[in-house]
Amino acid sequence: MGTLMLAKSATRIAILGISTINSNNARRINVSEMHSRGDSLLVVGSPFGLLSPFHFFNSIISVGAVANCLPPYSVRSSLLMADIHCLPGMEGAPVFDKNSCLVGLLMPPLRQKGSNIEVQLVIPWDAICTGWNNKKLEGIGGDPSELPDKNADTKTMELRRFVSSKVNKINQYCISPSSIREAISAVVLVTVGESSWASGIILNKRGLVLTNAHLLEPWRFGRTSPSGVQTSFAGEYLNARENKSLQPQQCKFSNEDAVKHEVSLFNLGFKREKRISVRLDHAERQMWCNACVAFISKGPLDVALLQMEKVPIELNTIRPEFVCPTAGSSVYVVGHGLFGPRSGLCSSLSSGVVSKVVQIPSTQLSGTVEADNMDMPVMLQTTAAVHPGASGGILVNPHGLMVGIITSNAKHGAGSTIPHLNFSIPCKSLETIFTYSEIGEPAILEQLDKLNEVLSSVWALAPSSSPFIDNPPEKTKEEKVLEFSKFLSDKQATLKSSTDLKELFKHKMPSKI
């Protein structure tokens, strides 16, 4: 579905008049005109309102951010995608920004067939007013392209200003997107042949791109934990028609003789006949560039490096933060989740917190030397939404610094993914890659090819292999028989009389199951 069709299908609204309204009980506020990815959003809604208005009228205040804007590169957006939690019945609720200005109205969510994935949609107030004026001109035979000044329409201005008053303390939920816009521009779309797509991160001005190894070698990463929880890779597949939109476009390149990274000798397993393309999203256009494999990790970390064959002049790089964030820290995920090359959309943003930092002793990492036997962070879990296609995307902090690379999210044994439980490799574990991006010495990457059972067990979600759990030794058959005999004798001693039996059922047996 194209962006224009998506916008038209999601913006069906009705405008109602209230005869009892007056200036005494109406709250007048300003309207937010411009919208960017990462802008703060607050929704005030009434879920299940008909069930009990006393309980549910304006009972939900949900905070989130703008995930994407449609159409891309437009000064004024016709439709917004929102990273925000909403409940049934909140459609039509007002949406506000960090300055308590009205952004627009919440629309029915976009749902993916065959899954529980939802994308919240918001129609901006400016688009509503434009459509309102168009409809009025069509009714009197006017030309919709000749729009009157909206400021001259008193009723339209009243619609702009009349909103709910539930935004007095919205600034306490405010985020600052200006600091992460530079990080957003460092995220690229990566396609492999005609079959799959994911995200990538630009590391340096010479066109080195970091992504996930499972995009190139998916057969190596089938992970399932003993409890039935699986890791689902946030990559996506293309159909045959996608190839029409993947032709490289003309763009300005730097000197072709510029220094580039040598192709590593450790990536012989990749099928070279598949074409790899990288799409860069700049201020007003998208540029496609061919790329080749520079490195694929053979170790437990799901990372790979691509080298752009021609390096564009306009290239924004990521800035890493090697100090690992703590649990509860705010983070943002930026990647090309759900919407692939055919959609034409830029990368989407979602927000959340670090829910868990998995660490192991540095002595468990081969080739790693840390003073005082410090614990090394090897995995980050976050609550930010991660969808298929976001593999290789960035995890950034509020200062716009990269703290990790997205690899996968959790998946139920039945097959459904859990978007808000996902896993990232912290930058602390990627210092070798950032060192290589600076000096370009392939031998540095040999450390990532070393096998490590402890690290592999962490990423396999295998608690039995955890170095922190002291598993008791396996009991022999004779010991198990003696233990069971002791259990029977203890129970027999407990049930000597009917009184003891009653006491057992009273205190030992639960009343409900």
Side-chain angles (χ1 to χ4, degrees), residues 295-308:
F295 173 75
I296 300 178
S297 172
K298 301 304 179 184
L301 293 184
D302 185 4
V303 292
L305 293 173
L306 305 176
Q307 174 62 55
M308 299 172 64

Side-chain angles (χ1 to χ4, degrees), residues 66-289:
V66 175
N68 219 323
C69 304
L70 285 80
Y73 312 112
S74 176
V75 177
R76 294 186 181 276
S77 301
S78 301
L79 189 66
L80 303 178
M81 295 182 182
D83 174 45
I84 199 165
H85 179 68
C86 297
L87 295 175
M90 293 180 64
E91 294 85 354
V95 183
F96 304 94
D97 66 8
K98 64 180 181 180
N99 298 316
S100 302
C101 296
L102 180 65
V103 173
L105 296 183
L106 187 69
M107 303 302 293
L110 185 67
R111 294 184 174 91
Q112 186 182 51
K113 291 183 179 180
S115 72
N116 57 352
I117 296 177
E118 290 187 349
V119 177
Q120 300 298 332
L121 302 177
V122 176
I123 176 171
W125 197 254
D126 185 73
I128 294 176
C129 293
T130 301
W132 172 251
N133 282 325
N134 282 346
K135 192 66 177 178
K136 288 195 303 179
L137 284 175
E138 290 175 359
I140 61 177
D143 184 2
S145 63
E146 298 176 358
L147 295 179
D149 185 3
K150 291 190 288 290
N151 295 327
D153 192 326
T154 306
K155 293 184 178 181
T156 302
M157 289 301 296
E158 288 297 324
L159 284 174
R160 280 176 173 269
R161 292 170 176 169
F162 176 65
V163 294
S164 175
S165 62
K166 295 285 186 178
V167 290
N168 295 330
K169 297 182 179 180
I170 188 173
N171 284 317
Q172 65 179 316
Y173 304 106
C174 170
I175 62 175
S176 177
S178 59
S179 60
I180 64 174
R181 286 173 184 161
E182 183 180 346
I184 291 176
S185 62
V187 177
V188 298
L189 176 68
V190 180
T191 62
V192 178
E194 301 179 3
S195 59
S196 58
W197 54 271
S199 306
I201 307 165
I202 301 175
L203 296 182
N204 58 28
K205 294 291 186 178
R206 298 189 296 275
L208 189 67
V209 176
L210 173 65
T211 188
N212 288 144
H214 73 253
L215 174 65
L216 307 173
E217 297 182 349
W219 58 87
R220 289 180 48 215
F221 297 91
R223 300 169 179 159
T224 304
S225 71
S227 60
V229 178
Q230 303 175 354
T231 52
S232 174
F233 301 118
E236 190 54 277
Y237 296 95
L238 303 169
N239 56 43
R241 293 178 297 175
E242 290 280 4
N243 189 41
K244 297 180 180 179
S245 62
L246 303 184
Q247 301 301 324
Q249 301 178 7
Q250 295 295 327
C251 55
K252 296 181 180 179
F253 295 95
S254 61
N255 186 358
E256 295 186 16
D257 296 329
V259 177
K260 295 183 180 180
H261 296 275
E262 299 180 14
V263 176
S264 171
L265 299 177
F266 314 110
N267 52 40
L268 302 179
F270 183 67
K271 296 181 179 180
R272 302 304 180 88
E273 67 269 14
K274 291 186 177 181
R275 190 184 72 177
I276 302 175
S277 299
V278 174
R279 193 191 75 188
L280 292 82
D281 298 332
H282 287 290
E284 297 180 354
R285 66 186 184 279
Q286 297 174 340
M287 300 186 299
W288 283 97
C289 306

Side-chain angles (χ1 to χ4, degrees), residues 15-91:
I15 299 178
L16 307 178
I18 304 177
S19 59
T20 58
I21 198 68
N22 56 64
S23 59
N24 295 328
N25 55 17
R27 176 64 64 93
R28 298 173 183 269
I29 65 171
N30 294 323
V31 175
S32 177
E33 296 288 345
M34 306 295 291
H35 315 102
S36 302
R37 284 173 290 175
D39 286 349
S40 298
L41 294 178
L42 182 145
V43 178
V44 182
S46 305
F48 320 116
L50 292 179
L51 179 63
S52 177
F54 176 77
H55 294 91
F56 298 113
F57 177 70
N58 286 345
S59 62
I60 296 297
I61 299 179
S62 186
V63 179
V66 175
N68 219 323
C69 304
L70 285 80
Y73 312 112
S74 176
V75 177
R76 294 186 181 276
S77 301
S78 301
L79 189 66
L80 303 178
M81 295 182 182
D83 174 45
I84 199 165
H85 179 68
C86 297
L87 295 175
M90 293 180 64
E91 294 85 354

Side-chain angles (χ1 to χ4, degrees), residues 175-183 318-321 323 329-332 395-403:
I175 62 175
S176 177
S178 59
S179 60
I180 64 174
R181 286 173 184 161
E182 183 180 346
I318 197 64
R319 293 180 298 154
E321 173 58 80
V323 177
S329 302
S330 297
V331 288
Y332 306 95
L395 186 69
V396 297
N397 61 19
H399 303 292
L401 302 178
M402 173 183 171
V403 295

Side-chain angles (χ1 to χ4, degrees), residues 400-472:
L401 302 178
M402 173 183 171
V403 295
I405 177 175
I406 303 298
T407 60
S408 57
N409 47 13
K411 181 179 179 181
H412 291 292
S416 60
T417 59
I418 309 174
H420 293 277
L421 176 56
N422 46 77
F423 310 99
S424 303
I425 304 174
C427 282
K428 184 65 176 177
S429 297
L430 301 174
E431 283 188 289
T432 300
I433 286 181
F434 284 98
T435 302
Y436 170 75
S437 71
E438 293 179 0
I439 64 177
E441 177 57 48
I444 298 176
L445 299 175
E446 294 182 17
Q447 180 177 335
L448 296 175
D449 284 331
K450 296 180 180 179
L451 299 180
N452 188 295
E453 293 184 2
V454 175
L455 196 55
S456 297
S457 66
V458 170
W459 281 100
L461 305 183
S464 59
S465 301
S466 173
F468 315 109
I469 301 177
D470 295 330
N471 296 319

